[in-house]
Amino acid sequence: MSPAASQCWPLRRVFVVGVGMTKFMKPGDENSRDYPDLAEEAGRKALADAQIPYSAVEQACVGYVFGDSTCGQRAIYHSLGLTGIPIVNVNNNCSTGSTALFLARQLIQGGMADCVLALGFEKMEKGSLGTKFADRTNPIDKHLEVLANKYGLSAQPVTPQMFGCAGKEHMEKYGTKVEHFAKIGWKNHKHSVNNPYSQFQEEYSLDDVMTSRKVFDFLTILQCCPSSNGAAAAVLASEAFVQKYGLQSKAVEILAQEMVTDLPSSFEEKSIIKTVGFDMSKEAARKCYEKSGLRPSDIDVIELHDCFSTNELITYEALGLCPEGQGGKLVDRGDNTYGGKWVINPSGGLISKGHPLGATGLAQCAELCWQLRGEAGKRQVPGAKVALQHNLGIGGAAVVTLYRMGFPEAASYFGTHQIEAAPTSSAVDGFKANLVFKEIEKKLEEIRRPTAQSQWPTRTYWL
């Protein structure tokens, strides 16, 4: 809706009332499933989380990158229902999941629907991404032209070259060290240890990260996201829908959301940092801050697009977490993990959680909703009240979203986040109030709805 139109027709509040996802897994794994099965699990979990039937959903926005037309319909028809609703298929490269979320939000915000399902999935091939169609123009040919003119092109996979060279440019311009990028890979793998949905849950030393197999230049395998199979979903609703179904205690409000596509600077400034999306991300974040009245210092937890460790560091600066050129200092201060200013990618991020392209943006949404509700278990960021999501696709689109509990009084009364974030060290023999606390927890367990848990197999290696 245009700014002029919004003056005549007020935009409605939009809430995420249910989320769900599958475990992300290595493509070709013996336990791998087809996309309808993945979509069914994520969709059913999201509906169960929202405690509504599929018949309450009025439209669906379904994202995937690798698949034939109308995979969205096939994924929904025989797993969730045949209700005749509009189903829109979405493909926006690695930002596909958040693009589906963006479209679903617009439908509710503009008054076109009261309940919309955003669903994303991917069944990928092993190894690095490649071009599928050799008989037509490559959509990122102009991006690659900038890369070729500045650093040249090799026979290695294109995406590591693009983001690796962006990191190289950052080092040349600002003095950033290889260790700064490696520390990000180390941090994200450490975070994913407590995430049962993560493709990898092994902890590594910094030396492990730096000495693992080279993918491109200084970028090692433990600093690169793997190809993954998986799905994630979110149920979005209007305020009237939330009131009707009594969902206030779990409703996470989307305070602001912006999508920005490539700007002239992506190509004209001959900067690989700009070519891989810095200015798109910066502008999307700026608009979100402006519309919400919030600043980076107001944010507690962040899920951002760490397809490579280099991009995570660059994105710190694009989101305004630190001045340009000082991402390495932010890393050295530990302001990207527990105990620092922000906890960034508590899920493990794309590097360790995995990156099924169509699902990633919605998996980020799910993680942040769990964090704000206090349902993230051992990953819980204490006292998390404001969350930021950043999802990037080369070609290009960047989507930035800000979240906060929509009805904090209802959430604190009915929700579980106060209990989940509490320390457990007081539960020892001889602590007289312990029995009272146990009874309170028992009663809370009776009234609260447990978060669905998935089982996970032994870790497998990627690529």
Side-chain angles (χ1 to χ4, degrees), residues 270-319:
K270 299 177 173 59
S271 163
I272 310 305
I273 291 173
K274 301 292 182 75
T275 300
V276 297
F278 182 90
D279 284 354
M280 291 194 295
S281 299
K282 183 178 180 179
E283 180 64 7
R286 184 194 68 78
K287 288 182 175 181
C288 281
Y289 296 143
E290 183 179 282
K291 289 188 176 181
S292 67
L294 297 173
R295 299 168 296 175
S297 58
D298 296 315
I299 297 164
D300 302 300
V301 57
I302 298 169
E303 283 282 310
L304 63 75
H305 198 87
D306 61 315
C307 48
F308 299 90
S309 59
T310 50
N311 197 54
E312 176 162 333
L313 186 144
I314 291 167
T315 303
Y316 296 163
E317 300 169 15
L319 298 178

Side-chain angles (χ1 to χ4, degrees), residues 20-24 35 38-39 42 119-122 229-233 356 359 363:
M21 64 179 288
T22 69
K23 178 179 172 60
F24 288 178
Y35 73 89
L38 297 169
L119 173 66
F121 54 79
E122 211 70 66
N229 289 350

Side-chain angles (χ1 to χ4, degrees), residues 363-401:
Q364 290 177 322
C365 172
E367 176 67 24
L368 293 177
C369 286
W370 289 327
Q371 289 286 348
L372 293 174
R373 293 184 195 164
E375 298 174 349
K378 292 181 179 180
R379 303 189 308 284
Q380 185 62 52
V381 177
K385 290 182 172 57
V386 178
L388 181 146
Q389 176 189 350
H390 164 268
N391 192 202
L392 174 74
I394 295 295
V399 183
V400 174
T401 311

Side-chain angles (χ1 to χ4, degrees), residues 335-357:
D335 278 338
N336 57 358
T337 188
Y338 297 86
K341 287 185 179 178
W342 305 277
V343 179
I344 300 175
N345 288 328
S347 68
L350 283 62
I351 285 175
S352 196
K353 180 179 61 182
H355 184 29
L357 276 61

